[in-house]
PDB file of all heavy atoms in Angstrom:
ATOM      1  N   GLY A 415     -50.021  27.097 182.811  1.00  0.00           N
ATOM      2  CA  GLY A 415     -49.456  28.158 181.982  1.00  0.00           C
ATOM      3  C   GLY A 415     -48.681  29.170 182.804  1.00  0.00           C
ATOM      4  O   GLY A 415     -47.603  29.624 182.402  1.00  0.00           O
ATOM      5  N   GLN A 416     -49.220  29.523 183.971  1.00  0.00           N
ATOM      6  CA  GLN A 416     -48.508  30.465 184.841  1.00  0.00           C
ATOM      7  C   GLN A 416     -47.206  29.860 185.363  1.00  0.00           C
ATOM      8  O   GLN A 416     -46.183  30.541 185.438  1.00  0.00           O
ATOM      9  CB  GLN A 416     -49.390  30.889 186.009  1.00  0.00           C
ATOM     10  CG  GLN A 416     -50.422  31.905 185.635  1.00  0.00           C
ATOM     11  CD  GLN A 416     -51.122  32.478 186.860  1.00  0.00           C
ATOM     12  OE1 GLN A 416     -51.225  31.843 187.900  1.00  0.00           O
ATOM     13  NE2 GLN A 416     -51.614  33.695 186.719  1.00  0.00           N
ATOM     14  N   ALA A 417     -47.229  28.582 185.716  1.00  0.00           N
ATOM     15  CA  ALA A 417     -46.021  27.929 186.221  1.00  0.00           C
ATOM     16  C   ALA A 417     -44.948  27.850 185.140  1.00  0.00           C
ATOM     17  O   ALA A 417     -43.760  28.081 185.403  1.00  0.00           O
ATOM     18  CB  ALA A 417     -46.351  26.534 186.739  1.00  0.00           C
ATOM     19  N   ILE A 418     -45.357  27.528 183.916  1.00  0.00           N
ATOM     20  CA  ILE A 418     -44.387  27.467 182.812  1.00  0.00           C
ATOM     21  C   ILE A 418     -43.796  28.848 182.543  1.00  0.00           C
ATOM     22  O   ILE A 418     -42.591  28.998 182.351  1.00  0.00           O
ATOM     23  CB  ILE A 418     -45.050  26.876 181.552  1.00  0.00           C
ATOM     24  CG1 ILE A 418     -45.320  25.384 181.756  1.00  0.00           C
ATOM     25  CG2 ILE A 418     -44.190  27.103 180.318  1.00  0.00           C
ATOM     26  CD1 ILE A 418     -46.149  24.749 180.675  1.00  0.00           C
ATOM     27  N   ALA A 419     -44.651  29.874 182.562  1.00  0.00           N
ATOM     28  CA  ALA A 419     -44.160  31.237 182.328  1.00  0.00           C
ATOM     29  C   ALA A 419     -43.184  31.670 183.411  1.00  0.00           C
ATOM     30  O   ALA A 419     -42.176  32.332 183.120  1.00  0.00           O
ATOM     31  CB  ALA A 419     -45.337  32.199 182.267  1.00  0.00           C
ATOM     32  N   MET A 420     -43.446  31.278 184.666  1.00  0.00           N
ATOM     33  CA  MET A 420     -42.558  31.675 185.753  1.00  0.00           C
ATOM     34  C   MET A 420     -41.251  30.898 185.756  1.00  0.00           C
ATOM     35  O   MET A 420     -40.302  31.283 186.437  1.00  0.00           O
ATOM     36  CB  MET A 420     -43.261  31.517 187.100  1.00  0.00           C
ATOM     37  CG  MET A 420     -44.266  32.609 187.359  1.00  0.00           C
ATOM     38  SD  MET A 420     -44.946  32.575 189.007  1.00  0.00           S
ATOM     39  CE  MET A 420     -46.256  31.418 188.819  1.00  0.00           C
ATOM     40  N   SER A 421     -41.181  29.805 185.001  1.00  0.00           N
ATOM     41  CA  SER A 421     -39.908  29.092 184.897  1.00  0.00           C
ATOM     42  C   SER A 421     -39.141  29.492 183.634  1.00  0.00           C
ATOM     43  O   SER A 421     -37.910  29.541 183.656  1.00  0.00           O
ATOM     44  CB  SER A 421     -40.142  27.583 184.923  1.00  0.00           C
ATOM     45  OG  SER A 421     -40.943  27.188 183.835  1.00  0.00           O
ATOM     46  N   ILE A 422     -39.838  29.784 182.553  1.00  0.00           N
ATOM     47  CA  ILE A 422     -39.171  30.177 181.314  1.00  0.00           C
ATOM     48  C   ILE A 422     -38.667  31.619 181.379  1.00  0.00           C
ATOM     49  O   ILE A 422     -37.585  31.921 180.897  1.00  0.00           O
ATOM     50  CB  ILE A 422     -40.108  29.977 180.109  1.00  0.00           C
ATOM     51  CG1 ILE A 422     -40.322  28.492 179.874  1.00  0.00           C
ATOM     52  CG2 ILE A 422     -39.560  30.638 178.853  1.00  0.00           C
ATOM     53  CD1 ILE A 422     -41.317  28.182 178.789  1.00  0.00           C
ATOM     54  N   GLY A 423     -39.433  32.505 181.990  1.00  0.00           N
ATOM     55  CA  GLY A 423     -39.072  33.921 182.049  1.00  0.00           C
ATOM     56  C   GLY A 423     -37.715  34.190 182.674  1.00  0.00           C
ATOM     57  O   GLY A 423     -36.846  34.817 182.047  1.00  0.00           O
ATOM     58  N   PRO A 424     -37.468  33.729 183.887  1.00  0.00           N
ATOM     59  CA  PRO A 424     -36.147  33.964 184.483  1.00  0.00           C
ATOM     60  C   PRO A 424     -35.017  33.274 183.728  1.00  0.00           C
ATOM     61  O   PRO A 424     -33.912  33.815 183.631  1.00  0.00           O
ATOM     62  CB  PRO A 424     -36.283  33.390 185.898  1.00  0.00           C
ATOM     63  CG  PRO A 424     -37.734  33.459 186.191  1.00  0.00           C
ATOM     64  CD  PRO A 424     -38.418  33.203 184.879  1.00  0.00           C
ATOM     65  N   ALA A 425     -35.282  32.087 183.179  1.00  0.00           N
ATOM     66  CA  ALA A 425     -34.240  31.403 182.405  1.00  0.00           C
ATOM     67  C   ALA A 425     -33.880  32.209 181.160  1.00  0.00           C
ATOM     68  O   ALA A 425     -32.702  32.327 180.801  1.00  0.00           O
ATOM     69  CB  ALA A 425     -34.707  30.007 182.015  1.00  0.00           C
ATOM     70  N   PHE A 426     -34.877  32.776 180.514  1.00  0.00           N
ATOM     71  CA  PHE A 426     -34.630  33.615 179.337  1.00  0.00           C
ATOM     72  C   PHE A 426     -33.841  34.868 179.723  1.00  0.00           C
ATOM     73  O   PHE A 426     -32.901  35.262 179.028  1.00  0.00           O
ATOM     74  CB  PHE A 426     -35.958  33.988 178.678  1.00  0.00           C
ATOM     75  CG  PHE A 426     -35.819  34.839 177.452  1.00  0.00           C
ATOM     76  CD1 PHE A 426     -35.154  34.373 176.335  1.00  0.00           C
ATOM     77  CD2 PHE A 426     -36.357  36.115 177.422  1.00  0.00           C
ATOM     78  CE1 PHE A 426     -35.021  35.158 175.198  1.00  0.00           C
ATOM     79  CE2 PHE A 426     -36.232  36.907 176.296  1.00  0.00           C
ATOM     80  CZ  PHE A 426     -35.561  36.430 175.181  1.00  0.00           C
ATOM     81  N   ALA A 427     -34.197  35.479 180.847  1.00  0.00           N
ATOM     82  CA  ALA A 427     -33.484  36.673 181.300  1.00  0.00           C
ATOM     83  C   ALA A 427     -32.033  36.346 181.643  1.00  0.00           C
ATOM     84  O   ALA A 427     -31.126  37.107 181.306  1.00  0.00           O
ATOM     85  CB  ALA A 427     -34.182  37.281 182.505  1.00  0.00           C
TER      86      ALA A 427
END
Side-chain angles (χ1 to χ4, degrees):
Q416 282 190 333
I418 289 171
M420 284 188 275
S421 61
I422 291 175
F426 181 62

